[in-house]
Amino acid sequence: MTEPLVIRAPAEMTAWSRAAHASGERIAFVPTMGALHAGHVVLLGDGRRRAERLVLSIFVNPTQFGPNEDLARYPRDLPGDLAKAAGAGTDVAFVPDAGDIYPAGFQTTVAVGELSRGLDGPLRPGHFAGVATVVAKLFNIVRPDLAIFGEKDFQQLAIVRRMVADLAMGIEIVGVPTVREP
């Protein structure tokens, strides 16, 4: 079980993806905020079956945390995450810094209007714009053929699917049934 290649710089991640595509390989992508568990491992396994290359991102996205949600307390375990990713056959773990995703002066957001308004939207103002923005950025950096998400957050999955369709991203979005820890 080989640990995945850890890439931190967006330009290096994009270059890796371009080389994989040039070799005719499809890339499956599983975006996460880390703290991987059995559900994430299932997503990675699905990606491994669907494509020649498997990329995982580990990025705790500050823009999807509201004022009453504690970004600093979000669990982080990079060594444990890399071990789980290795067990699932992950080729690359893309682990950028917040400054690489949101450099000084960053001001663009992606908002998926109607789908963000109901359910959790009013309870977490700005959350889904943060999710859509970071996922769009990650898609532009990683350049996957398909991306895999758990169905546990139905609203998030619907928002990502709508964004990909509306912005003609050409990425297959795969929803996988939720797996919970015992």
Side-chain angles (χ1 to χ4, degrees):
M1 165 166 64
T2 305
E3 242 188 40
L5 171 66
V6 175
I7 296 177
R8 293 187 179 275
E12 185 182 345
M13 181 69 247
T14 301
W16 182 93
S17 294
R18 284 187 174 138
H21 284 301
S23 298
E25 297 173 318
R26 284 174 40 90
I27 299 171
F29 178 47
V30 178
T32 78
M33 292 207 307
L36 300 187
H37 53 70
H40 293 109
V41 174
V42 168
L43 301 179
L44 291 167
D46 193 78
R48 179 78 278 159
R49 286 186 294 281
R50 292 175 181 269
E52 290 81 21
R53 295 294 183 167
L54 177 59
V55 176
L56 159 75
S57 66
I58 299 171
F59 178 66
V60 180
N61 180 27
T63 68
Q64 69 190 66
F65 285 81
N68 298 322
E69 299 170 326
D70 197 348
L71 169 66
R73 289 187 28 204
Y74 191 86
R76 292 164 175 87
D77 178 18
L78 186 58
D81 290 346
L82 294 176
K84 289 176 181 122
T90 305
D91 295 299
V92 170
F94 177 49
V95 187
D97 291 323
D100 290 326
I101 300 299
Y102 302 112
F106 184 86
Q107 39 187 313
T108 302
T109 58
V110 177
V112 180
E114 206 53 43
L115 290 175
S116 298
R117 287 190 176 86
L119 302 172
D120 283 348
L123 302 173
R124 299 181 77 190
H127 170 75
F128 289 118
V131 169
T133 300
V134 78
V135 170
K137 287 209 66 167
L138 291 169
F139 285 173
N140 284 331
I141 293 165
V142 174
R143 304 189 181 200
D145 297 286
L146 61 129
I148 301 160
F149 292 83
E151 293 175 343
K152 76 170 180 62
D153 189 338
F154 175 79
Q155 188 173 14
Q156 177 176 289
L157 180 58
I159 286 168
V160 169
R161 283 184 169 145
R162 180 82 265 153
M163 175 189 72
V164 166
D166 288 352
L167 298 180
M169 293 178 159
I171 300 167
E172 177 187 356
I173 303 301
V174 177
V176 174
T178 299
V179 171
R180 297 277 186 202
E181 291 282 346

